[in-house]
Amino acid sequence: MKLIIETQVEQKYLQVKKGFDESLFTKLSPPFPPVKLLRFDGSSKGDLVSLELNFIFFKQKWTSEIIEDQTNEKEFYFIDKGTELPFFLKKWTHKHRIIKNGENAIIRDEIDYQAPFMLLTWLLYPAMLLQFAYRKPIYKKIFN
């Protein structure tokens, strides 16, 4: 299943790129499930990000590897791929794009995920949409 969310911000794309750090990652974590950051190497190829999701009665580990990153005159992006996923996900790829838009930038999240079975993939869509829509006002507050 593919999900795309865009947020226009009022900073230059290379300035926004500098702000994509551990502090931002922590601020983007939604209220539920609570997230504990276990490891954050950065957003360059080969870096790892690992976290623990707390679902009250049980915890799940989620680790992603940055498999690609690039900066050019039009955009910066990096792609994280899930290597250790919670039970409800079979596949996870997330392309984080910061696209030049005149003097401003567009932050674009392109998510491709799959659950262990198709019905769950569809059932997860509203939750995924909410999780990433939650980021929009945070991006605007930080990068405006």
Side-chain angles (χ1 to χ4, degrees):
M1 176 77 61
K2 294 189 186 299
L3 172 65
I4 296 173
I5 301 224
E6 288 188 349
T7 307
Q8 173 120 11
V9 295
E10 296 178 13
Q11 280 188 19
K12 294 181 180 184
Y13 81 109
L14 291 176
Q15 203 57 34
V16 176
K17 173 188 176 183
K18 289 180 187 175
F20 264 67
D21 57 15
E22 185 175 342
S23 173
L24 176 65
F25 185 84
T26 303
K27 290 174 185 164
L28 293 174
S29 295
F32 188 82
V35 174
K36 178 181 177 184
L37 186 60
L38 302 174
R39 178 175 176 170
F40 183 90
D41 294 347
S43 54
S44 298
K45 185 176 179 177
D47 287 347
L48 294 176
V49 176
S50 188
L51 44 104
E52 182 181 79
L53 306 174
N54 185 347
F55 291 99
I56 301 169
F57 299 110
F58 63 95
K59 297 176 181 177
Q60 292 281 287
K61 190 172 178 186
W62 184 329
T63 302
S64 288
E65 178 182 358
I66 309 305
I67 59 168
E68 186 178 338
D69 72 284
Q70 182 177 4
T71 304
N72 60 40
E73 65 282 348
K74 294 181 182 177
E75 75 175 293
F76 161 69
Y77 74 85
F78 64 97
I79 301 170
D80 71 83
K81 182 175 182 170
T83 57
E84 183 178 356
L85 296 169
F87 73 93
F88 53 86
L89 287 174
K90 179 179 171 182
K91 174 183 150 191
W92 177 268
T93 306
H94 180 183
K95 185 173 186 177
H96 308 253
R97 296 178 67 193
I98 304 169
I99 304 163
K100 183 178 180 179
N101 187 29
E103 293 298 310
N104 299 321
I106 295 170
I107 300 172
R108 181 176 165 126
D109 290 294
E110 299 175 1
I111 299 104
D112 186 10
Y113 73 93
Q114 184 179 349
F117 51 94
M118 188 55 73
L119 179 60
L120 182 55
T121 299
W122 284 98
L123 291 173
L124 283 172
Y125 187 83
M128 293 290 182
L129 186 60
L130 284 172
Q131 296 281 358
F132 284 92
Y134 175 83
R135 294 177 170 206
K136 290 176 75 75
I138 297 167
Y139 283 147
K140 285 186 172 289
K141 181 179 178 182
I142 292 172
F143 296 117
N144 284 345

